[in-house]
């Protein structure tokens, strides 16, 4: 049986580093799915990507998958550990989708995750802990990512929160909320 893990938390909390440590502990071949794309005009973004790349073991396979996450996951083999970093970037890449299309995309991802035999680790940013964004696109991003994290968290075991330099296993510390129909 595959293991599905969610690692969530605020920016610069160490989410990716914790997820990478979990992938190493799996003792399986690792496929790292980067949802970000290279933008040669953004030097700061390139430096962030480079930092992530330098931290990862050389024998990991890296795939850049800015949009087709479900299709890519569906191709993963049982003897692998797949690390998806990050869901926030993936959601941002799909912000132009109409709401009904987004709900279908999210449903497809959730269904695919439950069918894939590989272990999976998802990294997701927590964005809803602050003020309500003042512009519609910001609210759409926050709501979509928050909903995705909630639905994915309901099928993941364990769910980790990384914050303040600490890793908390929410699956041990808390109780999951009931999850209703997607989009409600």
């Amino acid at each position: 049986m595959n293991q599905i893990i969610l690692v969530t938390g605020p920016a610069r909390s160490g989410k990716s580093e914790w997820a990478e440590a979990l992938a190493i502990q799996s003792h399986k071949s690792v496929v790292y799915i980067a949802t970000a794309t290279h933008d040669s005009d953004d030097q700061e973004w390139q430096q962030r990507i480079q930092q992530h790349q330098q931290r990862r073991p050389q024998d990991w396979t890296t795939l850049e998958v800015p949009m087709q996450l479900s299709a890519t996951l569906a191709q993963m083999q049982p003897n692998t550990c797949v690390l998806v970093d990050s869901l926030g970037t993936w959601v941002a890449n799909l912000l132009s989708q109409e709401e009904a299309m987004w709900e279908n995309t999210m449903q497809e991802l959730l269904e695919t995750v439950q069918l894939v035999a590989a272990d999976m680790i998802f990294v997701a940013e927590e964005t809803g802990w602050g003020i309500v964004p003042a512009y519609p696109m910001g609210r759409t991003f926050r709501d979509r990512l928050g909903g995705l994290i909630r639905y994915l968290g309901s099928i993941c075991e364990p769910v980790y929160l990384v914050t303040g330099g600490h890793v908390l296993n929410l699956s041990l510390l808390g109780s999951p909320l009931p999850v209703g129909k997607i989009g409600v």
Side-chain angles (χ1 to χ4, degrees):
M1 178 135 184
N2 69 329
Q3 185 173 30
I4 309 168
I5 299 171
L6 176 62
V7 178
T8 186
R12 297 293 196 192
S13 64
K15 300 178 301 294
S16 295
E17 291 160 273
W18 177 245
E20 291 162 7
L22 293 171
I24 290 169
Q25 291 171 18
S26 77
H27 301 290
K28 296 183 177 186
S29 62
V30 177
V31 176
Y32 182 94
I33 296 179
T35 59
T37 56
H38 289 276
D39 179 357
S40 57
D41 295 331
D42 188 341
Q43 290 302 316
E44 188 268 339
W45 185 245
Q46 293 299 56
Q47 287 175 342
R48 287 175 182 254
I49 290 173
Q50 202 168 45
Q51 288 171 345
H52 276 248
Q53 290 171 337
Q54 290 171 350
R55 220 178 32 228
R56 295 193 300 263
Q58 294 293 319
D59 63 334
W60 287 10
T61 301
T62 300
L63 303 175
E64 287 186 16
V65 183
M67 295 182 163
Q68 301 301 323
L69 187 53
S70 296
T72 303
L73 289 174
Q75 298 173 14
M76 294 298 119
Q77 299 300 311
N79 59 341
T80 59
C81 177
V82 181
L83 196 167
V84 177
D85 195 355
S86 77
L87 290 176
T89 303
W90 181 69
V91 169
N93 294 339
L94 298 170
L95 274 178
S96 64
Q97 288 186 339
E98 295 293 327
E99 194 60 33
M101 183 176 229
W102 164 249
E103 288 178 18
N104 289 338
T105 299
M106 184 171 59
Q107 183 66 45
E108 179 184 23
L109 176 66
L110 296 170
E111 289 172 2
T112 301
V113 164
Q114 293 176 82
L115 296 174
V116 173
D119 288 349
M120 289 171 276
I121 303 168
F122 293 91
V123 176
E125 302 82 348
E126 288 292 342
T127 60
W129 290 14
I131 60 170
V132 175
Y135 52 97
M137 191 66 75
R139 290 189 296 272
T140 298
F141 172 76
R142 182 208 54 187
D143 292 348
R144 286 183 179 181
L145 181 58
L148 176 60
I149 291 170
R150 180 173 179 183
Y151 292 116
L152 186 61
S154 72
I155 59 175
C156 290
E157 179 66 35
V159 174
Y160 293 104
L161 173 65
V162 181
T163 188
H166 289 77
V167 177
L168 300 171
N169 185 333
L170 297 179
S171 300
L172 294 176
L173 297 172
S175 299
L177 287 171
V179 177
K181 180 180 168 217
I182 290 181
V184 177

